[in-house]
Amino acid sequence: MGIHDRDYFRPESTYHAGRATFRPRRAGGGFVVAMRQSPVVFALVFANIAMYIAQMLTIENEQFNVTAWLILVPSLWHEAWRFIGFQFLHGNFNHLLFNMLAVFMFGRYLEAKWGGRRFLIVYLACGIFAGVVQVCTEMVMNMNVPVLGASGGVSA
């Protein structure tokens, strides 16, 4: 038996070198197959990239500034949309890159294990919880520092 006779070497095989929780798939496939297997992760990554582009396009605009409207400011805690919105904002490209890299690497596994709906609920709930903790901490310390980024949901 040579190397070319093995299942995982043949292009028509259903070999998958990942964990047993992943569905078997054909060898290869690349980006399109990964998008089909993890639609929620890719939607989160694309939403964060789109929001970063919107931030960069509106940063000089005083009438419509995406960052000013969605950033979580402890003194504006009563504006509930900020607890979701701040999770899609990022301070710079590296902040976005490393958060989305973590979402891509770990989120695909969790989405495959839990399902897309549960993964999204847990991700957003953990981000909201991180925002609430940050706001409470800053209120106790008598500070008013704005918060942005997906780090709360990513690290949870």
Side-chain angles (χ1 to χ4, degrees), residues 30-62:
F31 185 73
V32 175
V33 171
M35 276 182 49
R36 251 186 280 128
Q37 289 177 342
S38 304
V40 173
V41 167
F42 280 92
L44 284 171
V45 169
F46 288 135
N48 277 279
I49 291 170
M51 287 302 295
Y52 183 73
I53 291 170
Q55 276 182 267
M56 294 300 109
L57 292 175
T58 63
I59 202 158
E60 299 292 325
N61 191 343
E62 291 181 18

mmCIF file of all heavy atoms in Angstrom, residues 30-62:
data_model
loop_
_atom_site.group_PDB
_atom_site.id
_atom_site.type_symbol
_atom_site.label_atom_id
_atom_site.label_comp_id
_atom_site.label_asym_id
_atom_site.label_seq_id
_atom_site.Cartn_x
_atom_site.Cartn_y
_atom_site.Cartn_z
ATOM 1 N N GLY A 30 -11.374 24.985 1.169
ATOM 2 C CA GLY A 30 -10.937 26.338 1.429
ATOM 3 C C GLY A 30 -11.974 27.234 2.055
ATOM 4 O O GLY A 30 -12.784 26.827 2.878
ATOM 5 N N PHE A 31 -11.962 28.494 1.624
ATOM 6 C CA PHE A 31 -12.724 29.563 2.236
ATOM 7 C C PHE A 31 -14.231 29.350 2.121
ATOM 8 O O PHE A 31 -14.973 29.582 3.077
ATOM 9 C CB PHE A 31 -12.308 30.886 1.581
ATOM 10 C CG PHE A 31 -12.930 32.087 2.207
ATOM 11 C CD1 PHE A 31 -12.512 32.522 3.451
ATOM 12 C CD2 PHE A 31 -13.930 32.782 1.560
ATOM 13 C CE1 PHE A 31 -13.076 33.632 4.036
ATOM 14 C CE2 PHE A 31 -14.505 33.888 2.136
ATOM 15 C CZ PHE A 31 -14.069 34.318 3.378
ATOM 16 N N VAL A 32 -14.699 28.919 0.977
ATOM 17 C CA VAL A 32 -16.148 28.754 0.760
ATOM 18 C C VAL A 32 -16.710 27.678 1.677
ATOM 19 O O VAL A 32 -17.779 27.853 2.279
ATOM 20 C CB VAL A 32 -16.442 28.422 -0.724
ATOM 21 C CG1 VAL A 32 -17.905 28.133 -0.932
ATOM 22 C CG2 VAL A 32 -15.990 29.562 -1.610
ATOM 23 N N VAL A 33 -16.000 26.577 1.833
ATOM 24 C CA VAL A 33 -16.457 25.506 2.723
ATOM 25 C C VAL A 33 -16.453 25.994 4.168
ATOM 26 O O VAL A 33 -17.393 25.743 4.924
ATOM 27 C CB VAL A 33 -15.582 24.243 2.562
ATOM 28 C CG1 VAL A 33 -15.913 23.217 3.620
ATOM 29 C CG2 VAL A 33 -15.767 23.656 1.183
ATOM 30 N N ALA A 34 -15.407 26.722 4.570
ATOM 31 C CA ALA A 34 -15.343 27.253 5.933
ATOM 32 C C ALA A 34 -16.491 28.221 6.191
ATOM 33 O O ALA A 34 -17.069 28.228 7.281
ATOM 34 C CB ALA A 34 -14.003 27.942 6.166
ATOM 35 N N MET A 35 -16.857 29.030 5.199
ATOM 36 C CA MET A 35 -17.986 29.956 5.364
ATOM 37 C C MET A 35 -19.299 29.202 5.529
ATOM 38 O O MET A 35 -20.141 29.593 6.333
ATOM 39 C CB MET A 35 -18.102 30.890 4.153
ATOM 40 C CG MET A 35 -17.203 32.080 4.244
ATOM 41 S SD MET A 35 -17.367 33.229 2.870
ATOM 42 C CE MET A 35 -19.091 33.477 2.734
ATOM 43 N N ARG A 36 -19.470 28.117 4.775
ATOM 44 C CA ARG A 36 -20.697 27.333 4.891
ATOM 45 C C ARG A 36 -20.796 26.633 6.238
ATOM 46 O O ARG A 36 -21.869 26.477 6.788
ATOM 47 C CB ARG A 36 -20.771 26.308 3.763
ATOM 48 C CG ARG A 36 -21.823 26.660 2.751
ATOM 49 C CD ARG A 36 -22.019 25.604 1.707
ATOM 50 N NE ARG A 36 -20.980 25.726 0.700
ATOM 51 C CZ ARG A 36 -20.193 24.721 0.301
ATOM 52 N NH1 ARG A 36 -20.340 23.526 0.782
ATOM 53 N NH2 ARG A 36 -19.281 24.914 -0.609
ATOM 54 N N GLN A 37 -19.668 26.204 6.787
ATOM 55 C CA GLN A 37 -19.677 25.488 8.053
ATOM 56 C C GLN A 37 -19.863 26.423 9.239
ATOM 57 O O GLN A 37 -20.346 26.001 10.279
ATOM 58 C CB GLN A 37 -18.387 24.701 8.228
ATOM 59 C CG GLN A 37 -18.292 23.512 7.311
ATOM 60 C CD GLN A 37 -16.966 22.789 7.461
ATOM 61 O OE1 GLN A 37 -16.004 23.338 7.988
ATOM 62 N NE2 GLN A 37 -16.920 21.564 6.997
ATOM 63 N N SER A 38 -19.461 27.682 9.136
ATOM 64 C CA SER A 38 -19.526 28.627 10.251
ATOM 65 C C SER A 38 -20.112 29.960 9.810
ATOM 66 O O SER A 38 -19.433 30.984 9.833
ATOM 67 C CB SER A 38 -18.124 28.845 10.823
ATOM 68 O OG SER A 38 -17.542 27.649 11.207
ATOM 69 N N PRO A 39 -21.386 30.018 9.461
ATOM 70 C CA PRO A 39 -21.946 31.274 8.952
ATOM 71 C C PRO A 39 -22.018 32.387 9.996
ATOM 72 O O PRO A 39 -21.854 33.555 9.661
ATOM 73 C CB PRO A 39 -23.335 30.879 8.458
ATOM 74 C CG PRO A 39 -23.673 29.627 9.193
ATOM 75 C CD PRO A 39 -22.364 28.935 9.436
ATOM 76 N N VAL A 40 -22.247 32.051 11.255
ATOM 77 C CA VAL A 40 -22.342 33.083 12.290
ATOM 78 C C VAL A 40 -20.983 33.719 12.536
ATOM 79 O O VAL A 40 -20.875 34.942 12.665
ATOM 80 C CB VAL A 40 -22.937 32.499 13.592
ATOM 81 C CG1 VAL A 40 -22.893 33.511 14.716
ATOM 82 C CG2 VAL A 40 -24.362 32.038 13.357
ATOM 83 N N VAL A 41 -19.936 32.911 12.582
ATOM 84 C CA VAL A 41 -18.585 33.447 12.777
ATOM 85 C C VAL A 41 -18.239 34.403 11.642
ATOM 86 O O VAL A 41 -17.739 35.513 11.876
ATOM 87 C CB VAL A 41 -17.546 32.310 12.876
ATOM 88 C CG1 VAL A 41 -16.132 32.845 12.765
ATOM 89 C CG2 VAL A 41 -17.724 31.557 14.176
ATOM 90 N N PHE A 42 -18.508 34.002 10.410
ATOM 91 C CA PHE A 42 -18.190 34.867 9.284
ATOM 92 C C PHE A 42 -19.059 36.112 9.266
ATOM 93 O O PHE A 42 -18.593 37.192 8.903
ATOM 94 C CB PHE A 42 -18.270 34.092 7.972
ATOM 95 C CG PHE A 42 -17.037 33.283 7.736
ATOM 96 C CD1 PHE A 42 -16.968 31.974 8.165
ATOM 97 C CD2 PHE A 42 -15.924 33.841 7.136
ATOM 98 C CE1 PHE A 42 -15.824 31.229 7.988
ATOM 99 C CE2 PHE A 42 -14.769 33.111 6.952
ATOM 100 C CZ PHE A 42 -14.712 31.795 7.366
ATOM 101 N N ALA A 43 -20.311 36.007 9.689
ATOM 102 C CA ALA A 43 -21.161 37.198 9.777
ATOM 103 C C ALA A 43 -20.615 38.172 10.815
ATOM 104 O O ALA A 43 -20.597 39.385 10.589
ATOM 105 C CB ALA A 43 -22.592 36.795 10.124
ATOM 106 N N LEU A 44 -20.144 37.653 11.959
ATOM 107 C CA LEU A 44 -19.550 38.520 12.980
ATOM 108 C C LEU A 44 -18.284 39.190 12.475
ATOM 109 O O LEU A 44 -18.074 40.392 12.684
ATOM 110 C CB LEU A 44 -19.236 37.714 14.246
ATOM 111 C CG LEU A 44 -20.412 37.358 15.133
ATOM 112 C CD1 LEU A 44 -19.985 36.389 16.225
ATOM 113 C CD2 LEU A 44 -21.018 38.607 15.745
ATOM 114 N N VAL A 45 -17.434 38.434 11.795
ATOM 115 C CA VAL A 45 -16.189 39.002 11.264
ATOM 116 C C VAL A 45 -16.509 40.085 10.243
ATOM 117 O O VAL A 45 -15.947 41.190 10.295
ATOM 118 C CB VAL A 45 -15.295 37.898 10.663
ATOM 119 C CG1 VAL A 45 -14.136 38.492 9.885
ATOM 120 C CG2 VAL A 45 -14.782 36.971 11.758
ATOM 121 N N PHE A 46 -17.418 39.806 9.312
ATOM 122 C CA PHE A 46 -17.764 40.793 8.300
ATOM 123 C C PHE A 46 -18.453 42.015 8.897
ATOM 124 O O PHE A 46 -18.212 43.139 8.456
ATOM 125 C CB PHE A 46 -18.622 40.170 7.204
ATOM 126 C CG PHE A 46 -17.849 39.237 6.305
ATOM 127 C CD1 PHE A 46 -18.382 38.013 5.957
ATOM 128 C CD2 PHE A 46 -16.597 39.564 5.822
ATOM 129 C CE1 PHE A 46 -17.677 37.141 5.140
ATOM 130 C CE2 PHE A 46 -15.881 38.709 5.005
ATOM 131 C CZ PHE A 46 -16.423 37.496 4.657
ATOM 132 N N ALA A 47 -19.293 41.816 9.900
ATOM 133 C CA ALA A 47 -19.955 42.953 10.554
ATOM 134 C C ALA A 47 -18.930 43.846 11.252
ATOM 135 O O ALA A 47 -19.018 45.082 11.176
ATOM 136 C CB ALA A 47 -20.992 42.456 11.555
ATOM 137 N N ASN A 48 -17.959 43.237 11.914
ATOM 138 C CA ASN A 48 -16.923 44.024 12.573
ATOM 139 C C ASN A 48 -16.056 44.777 11.572
ATOM 140 O O ASN A 48 -15.704 45.938 11.804
ATOM 141 C CB ASN A 48 -16.054 43.120 13.458
ATOM 142 C CG ASN A 48 -16.677 42.872 14.798
ATOM 143 O OD1 ASN A 48 -16.587 43.689 15.693
ATOM 144 N ND2 ASN A 48 -17.340 41.735 14.938
ATOM 145 N N ILE A 49 -15.727 44.137 10.465
ATOM 146 C CA ILE A 49 -14.939 44.814 9.427
ATOM 147 C C ILE A 49 -15.741 45.959 8.823
ATOM 148 O O ILE A 49 -15.214 47.062 8.621
ATOM 149 C CB ILE A 49 -14.493 43.809 8.346
ATOM 150 C CG1 ILE A 49 -13.457 42.848 8.930
ATOM 151 C CG2 ILE A 49 -13.929 44.528 7.126
ATOM 152 C CD1 ILE A 49 -13.107 41.673 8.041
ATOM 153 N N ALA A 50 -17.023 45.735 8.547
ATOM 154 C CA ALA A 50 -17.878 46.792 7.991
ATOM 155 C C ALA A 50 -18.001 47.969 8.956
ATOM 156 O O ALA A 50 -17.947 49.138 8.534
ATOM 157 C CB ALA A 50 -19.257 46.222 7.660
ATOM 158 N N MET A 51 -18.151 47.672 10.240
ATOM 159 C CA MET A 51 -18.250 48.755 11.226
ATOM 160 C C MET A 51 -16.933 49.523 11.345
ATOM 161 O O MET A 51 -16.942 50.740 11.529
ATOM 162 C CB MET A 51 -18.661 48.204 12.593
ATOM 163 C CG MET A 51 -20.108 47.794 12.661
ATOM 164 S SD MET A 51 -21.248 49.133 12.286
ATOM 165 C CE MET A 51 -20.936 50.219 13.644
ATOM 166 N N TYR A 52 -15.818 48.828 11.223
ATOM 167 C CA TYR A 52 -14.521 49.517 11.273
ATOM 168 C C TYR A 52 -14.379 50.451 10.074
ATOM 169 O O TYR A 52 -13.908 51.586 10.224
ATOM 170 C CB TYR A 52 -13.379 48.499 11.314
ATOM 171 C CG TYR A 52 -12.034 49.151 11.440
ATOM 172 C CD1 TYR A 52 -11.623 49.727 12.637
ATOM 173 C CD2 TYR A 52 -11.166 49.220 10.355
ATOM 174 C CE1 TYR A 52 -10.397 50.344 12.758
ATOM 175 C CE2 TYR A 52 -9.939 49.825 10.464
ATOM 176 C CZ TYR A 52 -9.552 50.392 11.666
ATOM 177 O OH TYR A 52 -8.329 50.998 11.770
ATOM 178 N N ILE A 53 -14.797 49.993 8.907
ATOM 179 C CA ILE A 53 -14.754 50.851 7.717
ATOM 180 C C ILE A 53 -15.680 52.052 7.909
ATOM 181 O O ILE A 53 -15.307 53.194 7.582
ATOM 182 C CB ILE A 53 -15.125 50.042 6.454
ATOM 183 C CG1 ILE A 53 -14.016 49.031 6.149
ATOM 184 C CG2 ILE A 53 -15.369 50.957 5.265
ATOM 185 C CD1 ILE A 53 -14.371 48.015 5.088
ATOM 186 N N ALA A 54 -16.874 51.826 8.458
ATOM 187 C CA ALA A 54 -17.796 52.935 8.736
ATOM 188 C C ALA A 54 -17.192 53.910 9.743
ATOM 189 O O ALA A 54 -17.354 55.130 9.607
ATOM 190 C CB ALA A 54 -19.129 52.393 9.246
ATOM 191 N N GLN A 55 -16.484 53.391 10.739
ATOM 192 C CA GLN A 55 -15.811 54.261 11.705
ATOM 193 C C GLN A 55 -14.794 55.155 11.007
ATOM 194 O O GLN A 55 -14.726 56.352 11.274
ATOM 195 C CB GLN A 55 -15.050 53.422 12.745
ATOM 196 C CG GLN A 55 -15.848 52.916 13.891
ATOM 197 C CD GLN A 55 -14.932 52.164 14.847
ATOM 198 O OE1 GLN A 55 -14.795 50.957 14.739
ATOM 199 N NE2 GLN A 55 -14.312 52.879 15.751
ATOM 200 N N MET A 56 -13.989 54.541 10.144
ATOM 201 C CA MET A 56 -12.943 55.303 9.463
ATOM 202 C C MET A 56 -13.526 56.344 8.507
ATOM 203 O O MET A 56 -12.961 57.422 8.344
ATOM 204 C CB MET A 56 -11.999 54.362 8.699
ATOM 205 C CG MET A 56 -11.195 53.441 9.587
ATOM 206 S SD MET A 56 -10.156 54.344 10.744
ATOM 207 C CE MET A 56 -10.973 54.030 12.305
ATOM 208 N N LEU A 57 -14.655 56.019 7.886
ATOM 209 C CA LEU A 57 -15.271 56.959 6.944
ATOM 210 C C LEU A 57 -15.969 58.120 7.638
ATOM 211 O O LEU A 57 -16.120 59.195 7.054
ATOM 212 C CB LEU A 57 -16.260 56.221 6.045
ATOM 213 C CG LEU A 57 -15.658 55.217 5.059
ATOM 214 C CD1 LEU A 57 -16.759 54.473 4.315
ATOM 215 C CD2 LEU A 57 -14.726 55.910 4.079
ATOM 216 N N THR A 58 -16.426 57.920 8.866
ATOM 217 C CA THR A 58 -17.200 58.963 9.554
ATOM 218 C C THR A 58 -16.446 59.598 10.718
ATOM 219 O O THR A 58 -17.043 60.349 11.487
ATOM 220 C CB THR A 58 -18.524 58.381 10.092
ATOM 221 O OG1 THR A 58 -18.239 57.368 11.056
ATOM 222 C CG2 THR A 58 -19.367 57.818 8.978
ATOM 223 N N ILE A 59 -15.171 59.339 10.832
ATOM 224 C CA ILE A 59 -14.428 59.819 11.996
ATOM 225 C C ILE A 59 -14.307 61.348 12.045
ATOM 226 O O ILE A 59 -14.277 61.937 13.111
ATOM 227 C CB ILE A 59 -13.044 59.144 12.083
ATOM 228 C CG1 ILE A 59 -12.524 59.212 13.490
ATOM 229 C CG2 ILE A 59 -12.058 59.746 11.099
ATOM 230 C CD1 ILE A 59 -11.485 58.191 13.807
ATOM 231 N N GLU A 60 -14.307 61.998 10.902
ATOM 232 C CA GLU A 60 -14.191 63.458 10.844
ATOM 233 C C GLU A 60 -15.547 64.157 10.805
ATOM 234 O O GLU A 60 -15.614 65.374 10.923
ATOM 235 C CB GLU A 60 -13.370 63.858 9.610
ATOM 236 C CG GLU A 60 -11.957 63.312 9.602
ATOM 237 C CD GLU A 60 -11.088 63.927 10.691
ATOM 238 O OE1 GLU A 60 -11.272 65.122 11.001
ATOM 239 O OE2 GLU A 60 -10.224 63.202 11.217
ATOM 240 N N ASN A 61 -16.609 63.401 10.624
ATOM 241 C CA ASN A 61 -17.946 63.962 10.476
ATOM 242 C C ASN A 61 -18.546 64.256 11.852
ATOM 243 O O ASN A 61 -18.696 63.350 12.673
ATOM 244 C CB ASN A 61 -18.830 62.979 9.706
ATOM 245 C CG ASN A 61 -20.139 63.586 9.279
ATOM 246 O OD1 ASN A 61 -20.559 64.618 9.783
ATOM 247 N ND2 ASN A 61 -20.784 62.926 8.331
ATOM 248 N N GLU A 62 -18.901 65.495 12.095
ATOM 249 C CA GLU A 62 -19.469 65.855 13.392
ATOM 250 C C GLU A 62 -20.959 65.535 13.495
ATOM 251 O O GLU A 62 -21.462 65.287 14.578
ATOM 252 C CB GLU A 62 -19.226 67.335 13.676
ATOM 253 C CG GLU A 62 -17.765 67.646 13.920
ATOM 254 C CD GLU A 62 -17.554 69.114 14.231
ATOM 255 O OE1 GLU A 62 -18.526 69.794 14.591
ATOM 256 O OE2 GLU A 62 -16.408 69.550 14.117
#
